[in-house]
């Protein structure tokens, strides 16, 4: 059946989920167990059967609260967006406020590595996700009242954060898979790099190796974010 002819699934947020305190608490336990599993083993490890095992329950009992894996992930995303308070109101300093939004988003992505993949797809629409978007748009409203421009600014910042974090997570994965730290890797390629430098064929590369300081991930993120916000301010 073509995608356009398929019936639209009912969003979890549109269903009547007020089924009593016991039911709500059961849903929360399922979601928290799923978040913990995804944090430790990755999103591919997630399944309703695995969550049931983690909770010492039957798989059928999970389906009384959550219809399937897609709905579970939607709930997981919203749960981690809501596990910390919204950043404080920055007043008229939209640039500082948007920087706080970016740093806060980065912290969540690094805390929950599986979240970056989900956040890069179609947006989740849970109440905590929407509340954070609303906060970011309110910050940008201090800079522009143009709704389209404000949305593009928030999108640009989120895209920068996602790209920056993707590089950080990739580096983590390389270190995990190879068992080599950054310093150990540099030692392993040191002889080759010295040969390249001594050849004199790449003067700008040589300056980078011999003269440039190596900034850590926090400094690189802050620098890139400052450049982006500066460009937005002058645009």
């Amino acid at each position: 059946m073509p995608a356009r002819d398929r019936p639209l699934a009912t969003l979890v947020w549109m269903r009547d989920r007020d089924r009593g305190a016991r039911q709500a608490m059961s849903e929360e336990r399922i979601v928290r167990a799923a978040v913990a599993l995804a944090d430790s083993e990755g999103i591919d490890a997630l399944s309703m059967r695995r969550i049931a095992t983690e909770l010492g329950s039957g798989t059928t009992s999970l389906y009384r609260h959550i219809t399937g894996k897609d709905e579970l992930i939607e709930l997981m995303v919203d749960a981690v967006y809501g596990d910390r308070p919204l950043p404080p109101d920055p007043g008229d300093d939209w640039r500082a406020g948007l920087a706080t939004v970016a740093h806060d988003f980065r912290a969540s992505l690094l805390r929950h590595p599986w979240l970056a993949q989900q956040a890069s797809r179609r947006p989740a629409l849970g109440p905590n996700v929407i509340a954070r978007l609303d906060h970011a748009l309110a910050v940008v409203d201090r800079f522009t009242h143009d709704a389209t421009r404000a949305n593009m600014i928030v999108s640009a910042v989120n895209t920068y954060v996602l790209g920056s974090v993707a590089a950080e997570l990739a580096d983590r994965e390389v270190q995990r898979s190879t068992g080599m730290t950054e310093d150990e890797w540099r030692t392993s390629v040191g002889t080759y790099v010295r040969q390249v430098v001594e050849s004199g064929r790449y003067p700008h590369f040589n300056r980078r190796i011999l003269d440039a300081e190596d900034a850590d991930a926090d400094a690189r993120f802050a620098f890139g974010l400052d450049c982006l916000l500066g460009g937005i301010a002058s645009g």
Side-chain angles (χ1 to χ4, degrees):
M1 179 184 298
R4 63 178 179 276
D5 296 330
R6 295 174 189 161
L8 294 176
T10 300
L11 285 174
V12 62
W13 315 113
M14 297 174 65
R15 290 197 286 103
D16 180 8
R17 297 164 60 238
D18 185 12
R19 293 166 290 179
R22 182 177 179 184
Q23 292 279 69
M25 180 59 69
S26 296
E27 180 183 281
E28 182 179 349
R29 286 185 61 228
I30 294 168
V31 172
R32 290 301 174 187
V35 169
L37 177 61
D39 286 350
S40 62
E41 298 185 28
I43 201 74
D44 290 340
L46 198 67
S47 70
M48 298 295 276
R49 178 174 295 181
R50 178 68 187 277
I51 298 303
T53 300
E54 294 291 322
L55 294 173
S57 174
T59 305
T60 303
S61 65
L62 269 64
Y63 286 104
R64 296 172 187 166
H65 310 283
I66 298 172
T67 62
K69 184 175 178 180
D70 289 344
E71 185 172 291
L72 176 59
I73 292 175
E74 179 87 6
L75 291 165
M76 290 165 60
V77 170
D78 200 63
V80 299
Y81 270 75
D83 65 5
R84 63 205 186 282
L86 289 171
D89 188 328
D92 292 332
D93 193 348
W94 68 269
R95 186 164 168 170
L98 204 51
T100 299
V101 167
H103 282 282
D104 187 67
F105 187 28
R106 174 180 178 245
S108 287
L109 295 174
L110 292 176
R111 190 179 305 116
H112 306 286
W114 55 271
L115 182 59
Q117 181 183 23
Q118 303 306 315
S120 300
R121 297 178 176 179
R122 288 185 176 178
L125 294 172
N128 292 316
V129 174
I130 294 175
R132 291 199 171 273
L133 174 58
D134 187 75
H135 171 79
L137 290 169
V139 169
V140 179
D141 192 62
R142 272 75 166 192
F143 174 66
T144 177
H145 296 308
D146 184 313
T148 300
R149 184 173 172 80
N151 183 61
M152 289 193 296
I153 289 171
V154 172
S155 178
V157 171
N158 285 342
T159 299
Y160 168 72
V161 176
L162 285 166
S164 178
V165 169
E168 288 188 65
L169 294 177
D171 184 61
R172 286 185 182 183
E173 176 58 24
V174 168
Q175 292 190 38
R176 186 200 65 78
S177 62
T178 64
M180 296 176 64
T181 66
E182 179 75 11
D183 288 341
E184 289 170 338
W185 175 79
R186 291 185 184 204
T187 299
S188 72
V189 300
T191 300
Y192 170 71
V193 171
R194 280 193 297 272
Q195 290 175 355
V196 171
V197 170
E198 290 168 359
S199 74
R201 295 176 60 189
Y202 310 102
H204 297 289
F205 176 79
N206 285 6
R207 285 192 62 205
R208 184 259 181 266
I209 296 297
L210 299 175
D211 300 335
E213 296 182 3
D214 285 318
D216 62 19
D218 291 342
R220 291 194 301 269
F221 179 82
F223 176 79
L225 179 61
D226 191 55
C227 290
L228 173 61
L229 296 178
I232 291 170
S234 64

